[in-house]
Amino acid sequence: MGQRLPNPTTLFTSKPSAACTFLSLLVICILGFYTLHYVHPAPSSSNPQTALRFRRIFLSHATNATVASYLRALTLHPHLAGTRPSLDTAHFVRAHFMGLGLDTHWAHYNSLLSYPLRSSLSAHFSNGSHVDIPLTEQGLSAENGVVGAYHAYSPSGSAHAKVVFANHGTDEDYRALAELGVNVSGCVVLVKRGGELPRGEAVGKAEQNGALAVLLYTEGGDGFKKGFERGLVRNGAGDPLTPGWAGVDGAERLDPEDPEVLKRFPKIPSMPLSAKAAELLLATLGRSPVPNQWRASLPAGVRGVGPGPTVVNFTYQGEKKLVAIHNVFAVIRGAEEPDRYVLLGNHRDAWTYGAVDPNSGTAALLDIARRYALLMRSGWIPRRTIILCSWDAEEFGMVGSTEWVEQNLANLGSKAVAYLNVDCAVQGPGLFVRATPQLDNLIVEVTKKVKDPDSEGATVYETWMSANRSIDIQRLSALDSDFAPFVQHAGVPSIDMYYGRDFPVYHTAFDAYDWMVNFGDPLFQRHVAVAGIWGLLALHLADDSILPFNFLSYVDQLKHYKDVLSSLLDGSVSLHPLTTAIQEFAYAAKEVEHEAQRLRDVQSTSELVLLKKRALNDRLMLAERGFLDSDGLEGRHWFKHLVYAPSSDHESELFFFPGVADAIFQAKRMSGREGQAKIQHEIWRVARAIQRAASSLRGEIF
């Protein structure tokens, strides 16, 4: 009836072989025979009672042992992106999807990744002795497939210099050193990871202060102080050589020496250090005393911050090279709205074994696929298309997801309902969720349906409430997982969730199956809970006749952000444009919520009612795109979202309105009038974005 809707598989293009073409024709003939001779009426998943039954079936078929078996298989070997074991892991995920009978696709890109060639570090003490510091976990080496400790995209370099401790390496920390008369210029800076400062920023700030090299360490828990936290130190997301477009075969690529590429990388070398080795260096530093505000987090024997007298001999040599990366997808085509996509995503690649990061999430995704396949055998067909996404090279800067979003930006911009991300599904106890605000209510309702993994007889919602005394949903301004290209570049409503805030084996070779079994989730109950919430969220988004978005939560957040901004600014900058825009958005949100409730109450399935629901859903889906600005943030044009994106000032108090946060930071180095004008302009830009979102919700030009 009516025009045939586009096929969701237009997102995935490949050239079939002759054998594949023959097999496809054979399958089509067989399916055609059964279609002509047998009628298999499927109950509509949009029917509330039918949808409820399918959701109950989904929850009832969780098995801890199945998830555990997936994780065990995924973590048998390290699988760093761009290596053969990583490709083997991609084949494993693809075979799983195909074995379930799901429509499975590849997407391949050529991207600039970074690997170590050789490195060494030795410490030389004032008594004339020295020690060679190992740069990988004890008992593990290249023969195990474990990559040595390194920072991806660090430049090669060497240094023979005194050590200075700079705490977390923030501007405030360098000011504290300056007050002591400590100059880090010409030194190797030792920095403790912590707070909100990314690795690349820590290296950049050391470079700005004249350091020759940086050693970064993380405090490991008891028994894990010999772990090395690998990670990247570049800026931005996606392939550095194809900023804003996909790195497909034959694509335009910038030269690796292009200034646009080089500005993403630090100019001084860095390496990760174990907490054990860091304590050795800290214990031998003298000269200037440790600032009082740093003492609480340091070992008792630390007396000074340096420089020296300990000297380190630091050498790192790495290489950047173009390698193939591989995303894997499973598509469950929607029956009524096949051109509307609900996406669930997780990355596969890991620095080492990846039991927590990321394969606890991969195991949950594989289990959701298994349970969805079971629902399909029970007669379920989603209203909208569901796409399960397995990303590659996330650890190198969300490369796989970013390349795919850039390649499919037009389709996603007009058809993506929501993106649901799980990176590390299980790190420890306690549920943590980040989301765009229109999804808050749905998250709350779904957590009421899932059993809590750590409290007998309670739901996730009940435990969440008792722990926080409220539902604490954070936002998606960070650049730290695969939701970033969806929210910050494409404006797709998104969720990111995980159990446990921190874990002591992050990015080390100890992030293995044994750690998960002994510490993270021995009975795999938290894995089951995450899979339950994740899969149930997608079922609502795919099957509810009216999309379960509530923009009144967004209104509350925007009002709060305006109040926070008001407390930070003096009266020289007007917030009136922002106030007016939020009022307009609030009116549109109330109107659309009333309209949605009226249509939910309508029992008719007439074509007119269906068209009204479709039109409303489009407005709900597209409103988030209104917060995008085609020019992007100043100096960082890839970031288009003016409400949620990272600020260039990582020490800013604002985790929202990134353009305003940047302007406040830049205004400190300008004249009063010039700085005020810059801030005012960014406030106007945010106000216009909020007005665009309000206009999208209303769906009317006049």
Side-chain angles (χ1 to χ4, degrees), residues 61-219:
H61 281 79
T63 63
N64 308 37
T66 302
V67 181
S69 69
Y70 293 151
L71 186 64
R72 181 66 181 137
L74 289 160
T75 57
L76 289 174
H77 306 285
H79 42 285
L80 185 65
T83 65
R84 180 69 213 191
S86 181
L87 179 58
D88 291 342
T89 309
H91 280 294
F92 175 81
V93 172
R94 181 171 179 263
H96 178 77
F97 288 158
M98 294 179 70
L100 294 170
L102 300 179
D103 182 19
T104 306
H105 300 265
W106 287 99
H108 309 283
Y109 305 98
N110 297 306
S111 302
L112 187 73
L113 303 189
S114 165
Y115 304 95
L117 293 175
R118 60 186 63 87
S119 58
S120 64
L121 182 68
S122 59
H124 301 260
F125 306 112
S126 58
N127 63 5
S129 64
H130 78 279
V131 61
D132 293 328
I133 297 175
L135 293 176
T136 193
E137 288 80 0
Q138 188 174 0
L140 296 170
S141 63
E143 287 74 29
N144 303 92
V146 175
V147 69
Y150 84 111
H151 286 151
Y153 303 104
S154 168
S156 299
S158 60
H160 185 83
K162 291 180 178 180
V163 178
V164 177
F165 177 60
N167 199 33
H168 296 307
T170 65
D171 290 334
E172 183 180 347
D173 291 329
Y174 285 107
R175 286 192 292 269
L177 288 175
E179 289 173 4
L180 294 171
V182 175
N183 183 358
V184 306
S185 181
C187 297
V188 173
V189 172
L190 176 63
V191 171
K192 180 174 65 174
R193 290 271 289 134
E196 299 299 319
L197 200 65
R199 288 180 211 88
E201 285 296 312
V203 176
K205 290 183 184 298
E207 174 196 322
Q208 292 165 16
N209 284 276
L212 298 179
V214 182
L215 295 169
L216 285 164
Y217 78 96
T218 305
E219 286 186 312

Side-chain angles (χ1 to χ4, degrees), residues 403-482:
E403 298 307 295
W404 190 76
V405 168
E406 290 172 346
Q407 183 182 11
N408 295 287
L409 192 59
N411 268 322
L412 294 172
S414 60
K415 300 172 184 177
V417 171
Y419 173 69
L420 311 178
N421 188 69
V422 171
D423 191 323
C424 308
V426 180
Q427 304 177 163
L431 178 67
F432 297 89
V433 182
R434 300 181 284 181
T436 48
Q438 72 271 49
L439 290 162
D440 287 359
N441 285 15
L442 174 62
I443 293 165
V444 169
E445 291 307 310
V446 165
T447 57
K448 292 178 180 178
K449 305 295 190 297
V450 178
K451 294 178 182 178
D452 187 83
D454 300 307
S455 301
E456 186 71 29
T459 64
V460 170
Y461 170 81
E462 290 166 343
T463 302
W464 202 8
M465 280 292 289
S466 64
N468 300 295
R469 297 184 180 178
S470 65
I471 296 301
D472 181 24
I473 299 174
Q474 300 297 307
R475 301 305 168 205
L476 295 168
S477 293
L479 185 66
D480 60 4
S481 194
D482 290 304

Side-chain angles (χ1 to χ4, degrees), residues 570-585:
D570 57 35
S572 60
V573 176
S574 173
L575 293 180
H576 179 70
L578 198 56
T579 301
T580 302
I582 293 171
Q583 289 172 346
E584 185 179 337
F585 185 77

